[in-house]
Amino acid sequence: MKKVFLTLLLAVISTGAFAQFEKGTKYVSTSISGLNLNYNKNSEFTLGLQASGGYFVCDSWMLLGQLGWDHRKSFNDFTIGAAGRYYIEQNGIYLNLGLKYQHIGPTVANNIYLTPEVGYCFYINQHVSVEPALYYDMCLNDYSNFSTVGLKIGFGFYF
């Protein structure tokens, strides 16, 4: 009986998960990063908050706009960016690639980043997901001092 119930539950969850990736679906996300889950040459404690919004232009393909804020011990930085995301429907993994502009502190630096990311969508229900992701922010201005590898976790809302 337990096996039958588990099989039915998995079938219901997997059939409902594909509706989020259809053309015309809107997306809003908030995430937290930092907390020493990132590394670069000048690593120190950071707390980062990001917000993004997107729209599925066709099935499994989304365009995103992103805003972010990071707090470090010595300065704050602000980011704005755009990205494209592809969802692999069979397993919930997504691939993200974008560009972002970062303004660091009162006159520390202004950088451009190429931002590949791999993440997973764990759906709580049809409209809400938990999204852990591994990212790499490759600084195009000063690669050795500002490029960062990190982990972030967020919530995605599909409607």
Side-chain angles (χ1 to χ4, degrees):
M1 182 65 177
K2 289 181 184 178
K3 290 181 184 178
V4 172
F5 179 71
L6 182 60
T7 303
L8 288 174
L9 180 64
L10 290 175
V12 168
I13 290 171
S14 65
T15 56
F18 298 112
Q20 291 88 345
F21 307 137
E22 292 177 354
K23 180 180 178 178
T25 301
K26 296 169 188 73
Y27 170 82
V28 176
S29 172
T30 60
S31 62
I32 185 169
S33 65
L35 299 175
N36 286 349
L37 298 176
N38 61 6
Y39 175 78
N40 67 15
K41 187 175 179 181
N42 302 316
S43 273
E44 59 184 26
F45 178 79
T46 62
L47 173 64
L49 301 171
Q50 287 84 33
S52 58
Y55 182 78
F56 281 87
V57 292
C58 59
D59 290 353
S60 302
W61 289 92
M62 180 173 40
L63 293 179
L64 288 161
Q66 303 167 329
L67 294 172
W69 169 79
D70 287 327
H71 173 71
R72 291 176 173 78
K73 185 170 64 172
S74 53
F75 54 85
N76 291 322
D77 64 64
F78 300 94
T79 60
I80 187 167
R85 184 180 284 183
Y86 175 72
Y87 285 85
I88 302 171
E89 292 185 11
Q90 293 81 4
N91 54 23
I93 293 174
Y94 66 83
L95 307 171
N96 195 72
L97 182 63
L99 281 173
K100 73 178 180 180
Y101 168 79
Q102 178 186 46
H103 173 73
I104 303 174
T107 53
V108 177
N110 293 311
N111 294 323
I112 304 286
Y113 292 88
L114 182 64
T115 60
E117 177 180 315
V118 176
Y120 181 75
C121 292
F122 176 75
Y123 289 95
I124 297 172
N125 63 32
Q126 282 188 322
H127 302 287
V128 180
S129 67
V130 175
E131 300 177 347
L134 178 65
Y135 65 89
Y136 179 60
D137 288 344
M138 182 172 63
C139 184
L140 301 177
N141 300 29
D142 190 352
Y143 179 81
S144 63
N145 288 322
F146 291 105
S147 294
T148 302
V149 175
L151 180 66
K152 66 181 176 180
I153 188 161
F155 288 98
F157 304 94
Y158 299 81
F159 52 94

